[in-house]
């Protein structure tokens, strides 16, 4: 399929500071792409450049192959949803939604515009508030109106800048599903900005993780979670154990890794087909807590031994904090099916995981 | 508890009395003018010994109406120029992408910090060499000069209360720079715009120092005529004119307050 939106080496500098650095990505029609990153990582700057609210220092933006890099925002025809809703307080809800239609002046009659506005109000299930002012609506309702307003003129691409950032957790969950439903129904190409990883994993077709103005990794939610390409990504998405290691030996495709501790325990790792990382000073062995298991005796499956220092009950799962080699704390998460295993604090335990779980990353 | 409530009540009564005294102090000189204008004597007296409307008749018959008309023309012109320029300047100053907004703001406010007499002398010299002294456009420009800083102050503070992301939203929805400002930003600063118009008008209408320097017989404003007539005699006509001005001012501000009040109740 042809690329709908292409960003090519998009860069924005303020003096010596790179707000966005060489951002390159493609978006296919109907795709939902999330820019995910900590605050100050350049995700909003990138979105604003696509919207035309910031002018890039270098690089290009293309919609259907047409260069729109320096076009003013009103000539781009993209839809944008803001974090603070940005509804016009002096207009009713219906007038807000009709605003882009009235501005466009494409010969639509007033009645036609009103019908269209009502149609989109139905889409976000808020027909009954048409005559109210924005201040009379709750945050969640206002954001749905903002969404309807950004969609009513059928823009080819919709940009959303942390649209759920101001809502409470429960409402966010509902709105995520709502936005996703509408996005799928209308087949809208979307760029979504958030710092909430759970939101990104739930909603996106693809995620671009941003760090210090650059894209650190781009991939589907499971690629990002299962095969992070760097310590930053592994640490940012979900929970990870990051164990400083060096290479002790390699034998028949398996590596023996040595922990950088005084005791220098070693364990075997079998890279699962991925690229083998060059070892450096800050190389880590990265493994998710839920991939590991713990018991008093593991026999063959044992990789490391440690001391249990905390057991945290989380409802659906249990988290164990274990001190290995007297220096490195590891987290292990296990399903709490059939009650929790009873470990005493200070008890010696054995830790294991499948040979090919985890990754060596820089 | 009861004692406390009683104390509070006593205190609020005292506060009311204090406020009344302050108001009286501020308003009395103005209010005294009104009964004096209805006096029948040849000179100003308070309280008036007899009542008549003769000074109002004298006001309508004399040149005073020309002066009033001149004042209104000049004030209206000042409103158009100063509110137009001041509003545009405020939008520019408040634009986050504007680099020297703060500096430009201070430069625009300079006329407010200069004594009016200095501006008046400067205008007199410059207009003299340009040979435009005494013309309506010249006086309107001079008055705009002192009204613009006021408009800028009021409009920038009005714009500070407007979320500029609404402007961005309007642009992203297809509105041009002008459309976004006219359809979204300006309606949201309507109270400030209204006040700007009012204060620009009153500033010009009230202005006497500059007018003394640069108006001539045909363009003399009301304050200048009052000033001139005071030099020779203290005629009760002036108290009639003053009463008229007070009435007009009170009406305008009352209408403004009333309109704002109903607007708030509606929204």
């Amino acid at each position: 399929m042809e690329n709908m939106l292409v960003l090519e080496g998009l860069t924005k500098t303020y003096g010596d500071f790179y707000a966005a650095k060489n951002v390159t990505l493609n978006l296919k029609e109907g795709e939902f792409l999330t820019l995910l990153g900590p605050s100050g990582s350049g995700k909003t700057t990138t979105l604003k450049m696509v919207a035309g609210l910031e002018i890039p220092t270098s690089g290009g933006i293309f919609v259907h192959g047409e260069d729109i890099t320096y076009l003013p925002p009103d000539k781009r025809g993209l839809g944008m949803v803001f974090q603070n809703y940005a509804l016009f307080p002096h207009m009713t809800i219906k007038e807000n939604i009709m605003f882009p239609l009235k501005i466009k002046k494409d010969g639509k009659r007033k009645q036609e515009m009103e019908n269209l506005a009502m149609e989109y109000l139905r889409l976000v299930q808020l027909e009954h508030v048409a005559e109210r002012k924005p201040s009379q609506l709750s945050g969640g309702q206002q954001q749905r109106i903002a969404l309807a307003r950004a969609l009513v003129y059928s823009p080819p691409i919709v940009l959303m800048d942390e649209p759920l950032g101001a809502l409470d957790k429960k409402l966010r969950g509902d709105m995520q599903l709502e936005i996703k439903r509408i996005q799928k129904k209308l087949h809208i190409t979307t760029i979504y900005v958030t710092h909430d990883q759970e939101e990104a994993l739930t909603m996106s077709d693809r995620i671009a993780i941003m760090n210090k103005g650059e894209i650190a990794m781009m991939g589907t939610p499971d690629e990002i979670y299962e095969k992070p390409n760097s310590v930053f990504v592994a640490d940012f998405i979900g929970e990870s154990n990051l164990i400083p290691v060096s290479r002790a030996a390699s034998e028949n495709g398996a590596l023996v890794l040595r922990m950088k501790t005084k005791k220098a325990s070693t364990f075997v790792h079998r890279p699962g087909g991925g690229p083998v990382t060059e070892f450096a000073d800050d190389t880590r062995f990265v493994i998710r807590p839920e991939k590991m298991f713990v018991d008093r005796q593991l026999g063959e499956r044992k990789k490391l031994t440690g001391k249990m220092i905390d057991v945290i009950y989380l409802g659906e799962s249990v988290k164990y904090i274990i001190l290995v080699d007297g220096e490195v704390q590891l987290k292990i998460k296990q399903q709490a099916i059939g009650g929790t295993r009873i470990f005493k604090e200070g008890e010696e335990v054995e830790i294991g995981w499948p040979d090919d779980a985890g990754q060596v990353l820089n | 508890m009861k004692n406390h409530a009683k104390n509070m009540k006593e205190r609020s009564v005292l506060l009311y009395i204090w406020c009344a005294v302050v108001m009286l102090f501020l308003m009395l000189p103005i209010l005294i003018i009104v009964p004096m204008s209805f006096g029948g004597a040849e000179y100003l007296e308070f309280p008036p010994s007899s009542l008549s409307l003769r000074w109002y008749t004298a006001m309508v018959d004399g040149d005073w109406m020309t002066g009033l008309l001149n004042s209104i023309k000049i004030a209206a012109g000042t409103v158009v120029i100063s509110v137009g320029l001041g509003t545009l300047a405020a939008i520019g100053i408040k634009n986050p992408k504007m680099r020297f907004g703060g500096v430009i703001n201070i430069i625009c406010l300079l006329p407010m910090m200069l004594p009016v007499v200095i501006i008046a002398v400067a205008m007199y010299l410059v207009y003299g060499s340009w040979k435009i002294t005494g013309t309506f456009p010249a006086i309107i420009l001079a008055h705009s000069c002192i009204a613009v800083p006021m408009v800028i102050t009021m409009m920038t503070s009005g714009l500070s209360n407007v979320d500029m992301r609404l402007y961005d939203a309007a642009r992203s929805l297809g509105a041009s720079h002008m459309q976004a400002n006219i359809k979204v930003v300006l309606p949201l600063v309507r109270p400030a715009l209204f006040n700007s118009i009012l204060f620009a008008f009153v500033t010009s209408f009230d202005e006497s120092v500059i007018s003394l320097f640069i108006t001539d017989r045909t363009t003399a404003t009301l304050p200048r005529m009052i000033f001139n007539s005071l030099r020779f005699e203290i005629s009760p006509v002036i108290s009639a004119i003053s009463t008229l001005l007070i009435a007009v001012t009170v009406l305008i501000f009352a209408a403004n307050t009333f309109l704002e009040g109903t607007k708030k109740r509606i929204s």
Side-chain angles (χ1 to χ4, degrees):
Chain A
M1 212 179 344
E2 192 210 352
N3 283 322
M4 179 102 185
L5 173 72
V6 176
L7 309 189
E8 234 173 56
L10 215 51
T11 299
K12 174 81 183 176
T13 56
Y14 297 102
D16 295 340
F17 175 71
Y18 280 86
K21 193 174 179 183
N22 203 16
V23 174
T24 296
L25 56 84
N26 306 321
L27 220 70
K28 291 192 170 43
E29 201 177 331
E31 194 174 18
F32 193 114
L33 178 108
T34 298
L35 300 178
L36 174 67
S39 52
S41 60
K43 50 194 193 316
T44 295
T45 306
T46 304
L47 196 75
K48 280 191 166 170
M49 287 193 281
V50 178
L53 301 173
E54 294 276 0
I55 304 207
T57 313
S58 63
I61 305 164
F62 306 87
V63 172
H64 281 313
E66 190 193 339
D67 188 347
I68 62 160
T69 316
Y70 299 106
L71 227 53
D74 47 303
K75 299 273 178 280
R76 301 189 178 204
L78 309 180
M80 178 134 183
V81 180
F82 296 79
Q83 178 178 357
N84 66 335
Y85 324 129
L87 297 180
F88 305 132
H90 58 298
M91 301 181 193
T92 65
I93 296 306
K94 196 161 82 184
E95 285 167 349
N96 261 281
I97 298 181
M98 284 167 67
F99 181 83
L101 302 174
K102 278 189 186 161
I103 289 284
K104 226 173 157 190
K105 288 202 190 94
D106 55 358
K108 276 201 184 69
R109 295 223 182 106
K110 188 154 184 267
Q111 191 56 46
E112 252 178 292
M113 293 194 251
E114 277 187 13
N115 291 345
L116 206 54
M118 289 313 287
E119 188 186 311
Y120 276 83
L121 270 174
R122 257 194 301 282
L123 182 73
V124 295
Q125 300 167 3
L126 282 172
E127 279 170 283
H128 56 286
V129 302
E131 301 304 327
R132 285 191 214 165
K133 287 279 178 76
S135 58
Q136 293 168 296
L137 267 54
S138 71
Q141 288 176 322
Q142 288 191 48
Q143 196 53 287
R144 273 144 77 188
I145 298 303
L147 185 65
R149 189 181 63 179
L151 296 177
V152 71
Y153 53 104
S154 312
I157 297 163
V158 174
L159 312 170
M160 303 198 200
D161 185 10
E162 307 223 16
L164 308 182
L167 305 179
D168 64 60
K169 197 162 187 278
K170 170 100 177 55
L171 199 54
R172 285 174 84 117
D174 297 344
M175 284 293 293
Q176 285 168 14
L177 299 178
E178 175 92 358
I179 291 177
K180 196 62 198 167
R181 172 181 74 82
I182 293 169
Q183 186 261 335
K184 268 191 183 152
K185 184 175 170 188
L186 304 182
H187 202 62
I188 305 158
T189 314
T190 309
I191 302 186
Y192 192 96
V193 163
T194 183
H195 63 266
D196 182 334
Q197 42 152 316
E198 210 180 301
E199 197 165 290
L201 291 173
T202 326
M203 302 178 76
S204 320
D205 296 324
R206 271 194 304 157
I207 299 174
I209 303 224
M210 296 200 65
N211 184 30
K212 294 177 183 157
E214 292 181 273
I215 294 182
M217 182 177 181
M218 173 119 75
T220 61
D222 63 299
E223 277 167 0
I224 295 231
Y225 190 83
E226 298 292 339
K227 294 271 171 234
N229 66 350
S230 63
V231 170
F232 172 80
V233 174
D235 197 27
F236 188 74
I237 288 274
E239 230 180 344
S240 289
N241 289 300
L242 309 169
I243 310 168
V245 290
S246 60
R247 190 214 306 257
S250 58
E251 42 190 54
N252 325 328
L255 285 166
V256 179
L257 301 176
R258 177 179 290 127
M259 287 176 66
K260 287 182 172 170
T261 56
K262 265 195 203 125
K263 237 178 116 189
S265 296
T266 57
F267 57 88
V268 175
H269 171 62
R270 216 172 277 281
V276 180
T277 315
E278 293 292 321
F279 280 79
D281 284 349
D282 57 352
T283 298
R284 309 284 177 110
F285 178 71
V286 176
I287 183 160
R288 301 281 182 198
E290 69 271 15
K291 296 264 161 76
M292 306 164 84
F293 36 83
V294 58
D295 212 333
R296 292 197 177 89
Q297 299 289 325
L298 282 171
E300 290 251 302
R301 298 190 298 159
K302 182 200 100 167
K303 282 204 189 289
L304 293 167
T305 55
K307 198 160 70 172
M308 181 68 65
I309 56 175
D310 209 351
V311 179
I312 302 155
Y313 179 66
L314 297 171
E316 85 281 14
S317 61
V318 186
K319 197 156 137 189
Y320 304 103
I321 312 286
I322 294 155
L323 196 64
V324 176
D325 282 8
E327 301 179 34
V328 179
Q329 278 195 16
L330 297 185
K331 293 164 278 186
I332 296 183
K333 211 178 193 178
Q334 284 183 352
Q335 293 280 315
I337 307 165
T340 47
R341 280 184 188 284
I342 307 302
F343 295 104
K344 280 201 274 307
E345 280 173 26
E347 193 175 345
E348 288 292 326
V349 290
E350 295 185 351
I351 306 168
W353 59 86
D355 270 358
D356 58 352
Q359 277 177 283
V360 176
L361 294 173
N362 282 319
Chain B
M1 222 32 221
K2 238 183 185 169
N3 229 343
H4 181 70
K6 201 178 149 209
N7 274 345
M8 288 292 284
K9 211 171 181 186
E10 269 170 21
R11 251 205 277 173
S12 75
V13 169
L14 280 177
L15 197 62
Y16 274 120
I17 294 172
W18 173 244
C19 287
V21 170
V22 171
M23 292 277 278
L24 216 60
F25 173 76
L26 291 174
M27 305 294 289
L28 213 53
I30 297 171
L31 292 179
I32 278 181
I33 299 278
V34 179
M36 284 203 293
S37 70
F38 292 102
E42 280 297 328
Y43 44 87
L44 282 170
E45 59 172 357
F46 185 82
S49 50
S50 62
L51 291 175
S52 92
L53 288 173
R54 60 183 288 208
W55 301 117
Y56 286 88
T57 325
M59 173 179 84
V60 178
D61 289 345
D63 288 338
W64 296 100
M65 285 299 117
T66 327
L68 181 67
L69 205 65
N70 285 347
S71 275
I72 290 174
K73 277 185 202 161
I74 290 165
T78 304
V79 165
V80 171
I81 290 186
S82 64
V83 174
L85 287 180
T87 304
L88 293 179
I91 289 175
I93 287 165
K94 277 283 149 191
N95 186 343
K97 291 198 179 98
M98 180 88 185
R99 279 196 190 185
F100 306 107
V103 179
I104 290 170
N105 194 13
I106 290 172
I107 292 173
C108 288
L109 297 187
L110 277 178
M112 214 149 72
M113 295 159 199
L114 277 180
V116 184
V117 142
I118 302 213
I119 297 176
V121 172
M123 294 277 175
Y124 181 67
L125 295 175
V126 173
Y127 286 1
S129 72
W130 290 353
K131 300 195 167 48
I132 55 171
T133 314
T135 61
F136 277 114
I139 302 158
I140 289 172
L141 277 183
H143 281 183
S144 298
C145 198
I146 52 169
V148 160
M150 278 214 272
V151 173
I152 290 180
T153 310
M154 274 182 277
M155 290 307 290
T156 47
S157 91
L159 286 168
S160 301
N161 297 327
V162 176
D163 184 350
M164 276 317 196
R165 282 172 291 193
L166 293 175
Y167 167 85
D168 281 349
R171 290 300 303 273
S172 81
L173 292 168
S176 66
H177 174 67
M178 279 293 271
Q179 284 173 319
N181 274 318
I182 289 170
K183 300 205 173 188
V184 174
V185 178
L186 279 187
L188 294 174
V189 289
R190 195 148 48 185
L193 194 65
F194 224 74
N195 282 333
S196 297
I197 291 172
L198 213 63
F199 275 88
F201 189 92
V202 171
T203 303
S204 161
F205 202 73
D206 233 21
E207 207 290 320
S208 51
V209 181
I210 294 177
S211 303
L212 271 177
F213 275 80
I214 60 170
T215 54
D216 60 17
R217 272 164 148 281
T218 54
T219 53
T221 62
L222 211 49
R224 178 188 166 140
M225 288 176 77
I226 295 172
F227 228 87
N228 280 350
S229 98
L230 282 175
R231 270 204 300 205
F232 306 112
E233 41 154 7
I234 300 184
S235 159
V237 172
I238 289 166
S239 68
I241 293 161
S242 305
T243 305
L244 185 74
L245 294 187
I246 293 167
V248 169
T249 314
V250 166
L251 272 179
I252 292 175
F253 277 91
N256 185 30
T257 315
F258 177 74
L259 285 177
E260 301 255 301
T262 42
K263 271 259 281 308
K264 259 185 205 135
R265 250 173 284 133
I266 288 166
S267 64

